[in-house]
Amino acid sequence: MVGKGRPKTFDNYDALEKAQTIFWEKGYEAASLTELVEGMGISRQSLYNTFGNKHDLFLKALEYYIHEGHKNMKKMLEGPLPAKEKLDSLIEMMTGAFASGETKGCFASVAIQELAGKDKDVQRIINCKYAKNYELFQAFFKRGLDSGEFKSSLSATELADLFDSILIGATSLCKISGRCNQIKNTFQVFKKQIEFK
């Protein structure tokens, strides 16, 4: 009779979130396997069996972070609320993430700064993330303009370009001390480009 093997005693997503936190704080190169195993609360063999090597684990943590972030934004922008409330909620979420004064910034921006220039897998994941986010923003602004919920002198594409650029800039600005108000003000300037009914 063939045994089933020892069952897993940890939750994959919980372990991924813990790995993500370690990579986020230390970066890819500085995070050691020992720190990852201890921080995730699993054995080294379980890490290899479930996630692969350190590089594979980083990619899975990055993909998980991006998936969860996109899912939340999609739910927010495609939900039943009026367009103004959707945009206000999104900006509130972004300023909370990047202009709270105690933010860690964006995990994806950490990956960009450390690895995107030399790691094709990271580059592919990051490119996909920003393409999907941009499509989400463009579709939201197009729906709002087409339905008449709001109007602007800018087209849906121009609004998406501007919002996406502000958001990407905020992920870097938040790493510089004293820039919280600048990030908040920039989002408020963006809102002035739209007139809601």
Side-chain angles (χ1 to χ4, degrees), residues 157-171:
T157 298
E158 289 169 329
L159 287 169
D161 286 342
L162 183 55
F163 188 80
D164 196 44
S165 298
I166 290 170
L167 184 53
I168 293 171
T171 66

Side-chain angles (χ1 to χ4, degrees), residues 156-196:
T157 298
E158 289 169 329
L159 287 169
D161 286 342
L162 183 55
F163 188 80
D164 196 44
S165 298
I166 290 170
L167 184 53
I168 293 171
T171 66
S172 295
L173 274 177
C174 71
K175 296 296 185 74
I176 304 171
S177 62
R179 297 301 181 102
C180 292
N181 285 337
Q182 182 180 353
I183 294 170
K184 292 175 183 176
N185 290 340
T186 306
F187 279 115
Q188 293 308 309
V189 169
F190 174 81
K191 287 174 68 175
K192 291 180 180 179
Q193 310 309 309
I194 298 174
E195 185 180 335
F196 290 94

Side-chain angles (χ1 to χ4, degrees), residues 83-84 87 140-156 159 190-197:
K84 184 179 187 307
L87 185 60
F140 168 74
F141 293 122
K142 186 174 188 312
R143 281 195 306 273
L145 291 170
D146 289 350
S147 68
E149 276 197 86
F150 56 77
K151 60 182 181 178
S152 174
S153 61
L154 303 178
S155 67
L159 287 169
F190 174 81
K191 287 174 68 175
K192 291 180 180 179
Q193 310 309 309
I194 298 174
E195 185 180 335
F196 290 94
K197 286 193 171 182

Side-chain angles (χ1 to χ4, degrees), residues 105-140:
C106 173
F107 180 42
S109 71
V110 172
I112 291 170
Q113 291 163 8
E114 187 175 5
L115 295 172
K118 59 185 179 183
D119 189 315
K120 289 183 179 178
D121 291 321
V122 171
Q123 192 175 71
R124 171 185 53 78
I125 293 168
I126 294 296
N127 287 344
C128 181
K129 163 194 163 59
Y130 285 109
K132 286 173 69 176
N133 285 356
Y134 182 83
E135 289 173 8
L136 191 62
F137 300 149
Q138 190 175 37
F140 168 74

